[in-house]
Amino acid sequence: MRLCTISTGDRVYRYEKSIVAFFAGKRKVLSTSVYNGGYHENYRAVFNHDAKTGAGMPCEKLAPTYTEHMRIVAERLGLNPDETTGMGTAADMENAVVESLSYKELTVTAVVTGGIETNGGRAGDPADYYAPLEKPDRPGTINIMLFLDSDMPAGTLARALVTCTEAKTAAIQELMEGSHYSNGLATGSGTDQTIIVANAESSLYLEGAGKHSKMGELIGRVVKNAVKRALGKQSGLTPVRQHDVFRRLKRFGVTPESLWTLYRKGKETEFMIKPEFLNQMEILGRDNFMVTWTVLLIHGIDECLWGLLSKEETGEAAEDIMNRIVHHYRGTAAFSLPLAKKTPEDLIEAWKHMFLFIIENKSADDESLQPDDNHSIESLSSSGLGKH
């Protein structure tokens, strides 16, 4: 099926688990793909391919190397494998997002697929992949095809790639998604790929693609919106879903299962059954007050890890925050924060004990941990805060 027609006249189709853009004229192409990547002026099409063999299944490999595999994919799509470049992904093509913005004669269009649930990372995270002359088998996760309806020099196309990457990272940052490889915020996935296409036949000629240029602004807005929408469709990564302390604390190793293990430690009798415990955790973990003040605590820990706040400053603020949380839910109930050295690890451990204290001291007739209009994820959505 035809997905869209770009302002350049290029036609974009979705078929055979792929999205293919067929050029209507001469184009300048900059691709990060190992398959026919780099800068080229002789391509006739570009594509994005879902390499999965089925939902939740591994990616197929049609040849010994990634490049040979992608050549076979190109031929199956009816393309000349020497006149195209393509990207592989595990994202569904049905979840592709098209965003377009214009200013006077200039139009910028992004076609994006994306998921970050298994491969999100932060630049500088520890890595173990080092294999010269080979491409990792894992396909790209956030794949962007960016079409610029203007002619430009090759260097400007490279600058557009920088702006595009910054916009992608800004989208992930605004969703506060954590890395799977460290306790930092993700800046992308480990296998993201981008193809940028400029219209070499356009009478409009621009040399600026940075943040001070109008083209840079359009690139930033289009890519950021498209990446957010694509992550929402593919991974369910939305502001509403992120309104959850366990989503925010996962990068620090805090999960419902880890809290259940801590809760059961040393308890032989008189403990909640697991489903009831998990239910209470889910309600409290999405409560407006708990999310708001826990987010403030997390940001303080991030600032400490980045060297912007000292451990002492962060520890004092964390104590105030956690005491405020306990007072909100348990009034005058006595609780001693287990803070020793006030390191980020200590603060996370103290938060876990605080959270369990609130759940364990819930009385039978206490309604403060019951889902209602004031303390539920639905209230966030209905207020408009969960929309993007």
Side-chain angles (χ1 to χ4, degrees):
M1 62 169 289
R2 183 180 295 188
L3 190 63
C4 65
T5 300
I6 308 297
S7 60
T8 57
D10 300 344
R11 293 164 297 163
V12 182
Y13 293 87
R14 182 172 61 210
Y15 64 102
E16 296 183 13
K17 299 196 303 176
S18 302
I19 291 176
V20 184
F22 291 88
F23 299 157
K26 291 182 61 177
R27 302 290 180 260
K28 296 177 179 179
V29 177
L30 181 62
S31 169
T32 65
S33 176
V34 170
Y35 168 58
N36 289 347
Y39 178 76
H40 298 271
E41 296 186 2
N42 64 324
Y43 286 168
R44 301 172 64 86
V46 294
F47 67 91
N48 186 14
H49 174 68
D50 175 7
K52 298 193 307 296
T53 54
M57 299 178 68
C59 297
E60 64 180 346
K61 192 171 183 179
L62 303 174
T65 69
Y66 179 81
T67 300
E68 292 172 323
H69 163 82
M70 292 298 280
R71 288 183 65 86
I72 294 173
V73 171
E75 290 174 340
R76 286 184 173 183
L77 294 173
L79 306 174
N80 182 334
D82 295 318
E83 296 181 344
T84 186
T85 180
M87 307 175 287
T89 183
D92 300 323
M93 294 299 107
E94 290 75 14
N95 290 330
V97 169
V98 179
E99 284 273 350
S100 186
L101 285 174
S102 299
Y103 177 79
K104 295 185 177 180
E105 308 97 325
L106 174 64
T107 298
V108 173
T109 302
V111 182
V112 179
T113 59
I116 201 171
E117 64 272 22
T118 61
N119 198 16
R122 183 175 182 83
D125 280 351
D128 57 10
Y129 173 75
Y130 181 74
L133 305 180
E134 290 188 11
K135 169 74 180 180
D137 288 337
R138 265 193 305 192
T141 308
I142 299 176
N143 282 359
I144 300 171
M145 291 195 291
L146 183 65
F147 299 87
L148 310 175
D149 195 358
S150 167
D151 194 9
M152 63 194 68
T156 302
L157 208 60
R159 185 61 183 88
L161 176 61
V162 173
T163 302
C164 174
T165 303
E166 289 183 21
K168 176 198 70 176
T169 298
I172 300 168
Q173 181 188 48
E174 291 179 10
L175 290 168
M176 302 301 287
E177 178 67 358
S179 169
H180 290 267
Y181 308 101
S182 72
N183 58 16
L185 291 168
T187 56
S189 88
T191 47
D192 295 345
Q193 298 179 77
T194 302
I195 296 174
I196 300 185
V197 180
N199 184 3
E201 297 183 345
S202 174
S203 59
L204 181 64
Y205 190 84
L206 298 173
E207 293 185 339
K211 289 181 285 296
H212 295 304
S213 70
K214 202 65 185 180
M215 181 160 64
E217 176 196 337
L218 296 185
I219 291 171
R221 290 170 59 191
V222 162
V223 171
K224 190 165 70 168
N225 290 341
V227 169
K228 283 185 175 182
R229 289 178 56 203
L231 292 176
K233 293 180 71 174
Q234 179 69 35
S235 303
L237 182 57
T238 64
V240 169
R241 189 179 180 193
Q242 292 297 82
H243 192 266
D244 184 327
V245 296
F246 293 107
R247 292 283 304 176
R248 302 298 190 91
L249 286 167
K250 183 179 179 181
R251 58 189 169 106
F252 294 101
V254 179
T255 64
E257 189 63 32
S258 69
L259 276 189
W260 167 252
T261 301
L262 182 61
Y263 169 71
R264 280 298 314 274
K265 190 175 181 179
K267 284 186 174 68
E268 298 298 332
T269 59
E270 297 184 2
F271 55 84
M272 277 187 278
I273 60 173
K274 189 172 184 178
E276 178 59 26
F277 179 82
L278 294 176
N279 181 61
Q280 291 297 322
M281 278 205 308
E282 181 178 1
I283 294 171
L284 183 58
R286 295 183 176 183
D287 183 83
N288 294 349
F289 192 90
M290 178 62 75
V291 172
T292 300
W293 287 91
T294 298
V295 164
L296 294 177
L297 172 64
I298 294 171
H299 187 65
I301 292 174
D302 281 334
E303 296 251 334
C304 181
L305 292 170
W306 299 333
L308 299 174
L309 289 176
S310 69
K311 293 177 182 178
E312 291 71 23
E313 291 171 317
T314 308
E316 290 176 8
E319 284 192 73
D320 289 341
I321 288 173
M322 285 187 273
N323 280 320
R324 185 182 181 101
I325 293 174
V326 171
H327 179 76
H328 176 79
Y329 292 102
R330 293 294 158 252
T332 59
F335 175 68
S336 177
L337 291 171
L339 285 175
K341 299 178 182 179
K342 298 185 179 180
T343 64
E345 294 77 15
D346 287 330
L347 300 183
I348 294 296
E349 194 65 23
W351 182 92
K352 289 158 61 176
H353 285 278
M354 176 212 70
F355 193 89
L356 289 179
F357 174 81
I358 294 171
I359 289 182
E360 289 185 89
N361 285 273
K362 174 186 177 296
S363 61
D365 58 350
D366 189 352
E367 297 182 354
S368 65
L369 297 186
Q370 300 302 318
D372 58 36
D373 291 338
N374 294 320
H375 300 91
S376 67
I377 197 67
E378 289 77 9
S379 65
L380 175 70
S381 178
S382 62
S383 70
L385 294 177
K387 299 176 182 178
H388 68 287

